[in-house]
Amino acid sequence: MTMLVGRQAPEIQAPAVLPDGTFIENYSFPRGKYVVVVFYPLDFTFVCPSELIALDHRVAELKKRNVEVVSVSIDSHFTHNAWKNTPVDHGGIGHVQYTMVADLTHSIAQNFGVEHPEKGVAFRATFLMDKSGVVRHMVVNDLPLGRNMDEIIRMVDALTYFEEHGEVCPAGWKKGDKGMKASVAGVAEYLKSHSEKL
């Protein structure tokens, strides 16, 4: 698997279905805003809808933070749209409010280093890109292991805190917490007042 953290994210040009159901033939990641990319194995499966619906429930909070949310699987944009138009109680995901990209050639999963070596689908991978397209966070789960979508919001908050204050975010940091200076003294000061929370 390719380690992309700290590097420019691969560019994409791929078919997609937009939140309003419109098809676009050449979707690419926007610049000037944060981008969260959520890879998943396949439409019309079982763990995937739990993740994608959970992601949709957090879209409003992510939009407040200037985040574009994008999901990617090897299914076509037509299949994505069919899944969106299938009621949740019949195995669908409903009208999720983020862009769903079709990785029909598998090149996006391959370029991001998250294609399963035998099954030819994407692992459950999440990437956070900053406003210039640099990957600042990634997590990859094996196929049976669903993600915690709240962690995406926490990572966006940590990144924006670092960008605004220049302080780093220690273990378990969440919005509203203090950061710490990236120095021996900063660590000592933080541990002195937070050791019971670690």
Side-chain angles (χ1 to χ4, degrees), residues 6-190:
R7 300 180 184 176
Q8 198 74 28
E11 296 285 346
I12 70 166
Q13 287 283 322
V17 59
L18 302 179
D20 65 0
T22 303
F23 294 125
I24 182 171
E25 286 302 318
N26 290 297
Y27 176 83
S28 58
F29 297 134
R31 289 289 185 259
K33 58 169 48 178
Y34 303 102
V35 179
V36 166
V37 183
V38 174
F39 286 88
Y40 65 95
L42 288 169
D43 294 346
F44 292 99
T45 53
F46 310 107
V47 176
C48 296
S50 72
E51 291 188 308
L52 296 184
I53 292 168
L55 178 63
D56 187 56
H57 290 167
R58 287 148 182 85
V59 165
E61 282 301 313
L62 289 164
K63 282 184 177 176
K64 287 180 191 173
R65 293 161 168 82
N66 193 29
V67 178
E68 175 97 359
V69 179
V70 181
S71 68
V72 182
S73 82
I74 61 170
D75 302 278
S76 74
H77 48 314
F78 302 111
T79 306
H80 290 335
N81 199 46
W83 203 23
K84 282 175 54 119
N85 285 299
T86 302
V88 172
D89 59 354
H90 287 85
I93 56 171
H95 296 286
V96 296
Q97 293 301 299
Y98 48 82
T99 298
M100 300 183 76
V101 172
D103 186 17
L104 291 168
T105 66
H106 300 218
S107 62
I108 303 172
Q110 290 167 4
N111 289 339
F112 275 79
V114 296
E115 186 177 48
H116 192 287
E118 287 95 33
K119 299 190 177 179
V121 298
F123 285 111
R124 301 185 188 285
T126 307
F127 294 83
L128 169 60
M129 292 141 52
D130 68 17
K131 294 178 182 178
S132 62
V134 173
V135 175
R136 304 303 294 269
H137 164 74
M138 68 181 278
V139 63
V140 183
N141 290 4
D142 201 355
L143 302 181
L145 307 176
R147 286 160 283 189
N148 179 345
M149 295 302 174
D150 288 326
E151 181 66 0
I152 295 171
I153 295 174
R154 191 180 81 85
M155 284 292 99
V156 172
D157 288 342
L159 176 56
T160 56
Y161 181 89
F162 168 72
E163 290 174 343
E164 290 169 10
H165 301 279
E167 293 184 335
V168 296
C169 299
W173 183 95
K174 60 187 181 302
K175 190 171 185 177
D177 289 352
K178 291 182 178 180
M180 67 182 187
K181 296 195 178 356
S183 66
V184 172
V187 173
E189 181 182 338
Y190 179 82

